[in-house]
Amino acid sequence: MRFFVHFLTILILAYVAGMVLPWWSVALVAFLVTLLMPLSPGRSFFSAFMGVFVLWLVLAFYADVRNDHLLANRMSEMILKVRSAPLIGVISAVIGGLVAGFAASSAAFLRAVKKPA
């Protein structure tokens, strides 16, 4: 249950932060949420990764559909040398998920170090 609450909190706060802050605000959100709602480092990584991955994948799909796949197709041709709009969305979602996951696991490790012996 805590895993799902952690996941949902990161997803919602990352969306809100993304409205007014730069793209890397997902790292701040994942770090702060994990400090306030502690999980093990592995579970916090996976929860934050999945939260931001799902968020960015949905946002990429929504933007892609709104412009009839023009931008994503051109970007995938330029960067990947393949015309694949979904692939560029998945790659960007993986990058965002990794950023959030590493931030969350950093916070989990920081909490583990602060515990008295």
Side-chain angles (χ1 to χ4, degrees):
M1 183 67 181
R2 285 178 44 194
F3 179 84
F4 183 71
V5 172
H6 191 264
F7 162 80
L8 201 57
T9 305
I10 288 176
L11 190 141
I12 292 168
L13 290 179
Y15 178 73
V16 171
M19 294 293 180
V20 293
L21 296 173
W23 69 269
W24 49 265
S25 63
V26 296
L28 297 174
V29 167
F31 187 85
L32 293 175
V33 168
T34 304
L35 278 180
L36 297 174
M37 296 169 40
L39 291 175
S40 69
R43 289 178 58 120
S44 63
F45 177 88
F46 187 67
S47 175
F49 178 88
M50 288 308 297
V52 174
F53 179 83
V54 168
L55 173 67
W56 280 20
L57 193 62
V58 167
L59 291 175
F61 177 73
Y62 179 68
D64 191 37
V65 169
R66 282 184 47 202
N67 71 14
D68 200 27
H69 314 289
L70 293 175
L71 180 63
N73 281 329
R74 289 183 183 175
M75 292 302 292
S76 67
E77 283 178 4
M78 186 172 68
I79 295 171
L80 305 173
K81 307 296 185 214
V82 176
R83 186 180 176 107
S84 175
L87 184 60
I88 200 81
V90 169
I91 288 173
S92 66
V94 166
I95 291 170
L98 286 174
V99 168
F102 286 131
S105 62
S106 297
F109 281 123
L110 184 66
R111 280 188 68 89
V113 170
K114 291 173 89 174
K115 290 182 182 177

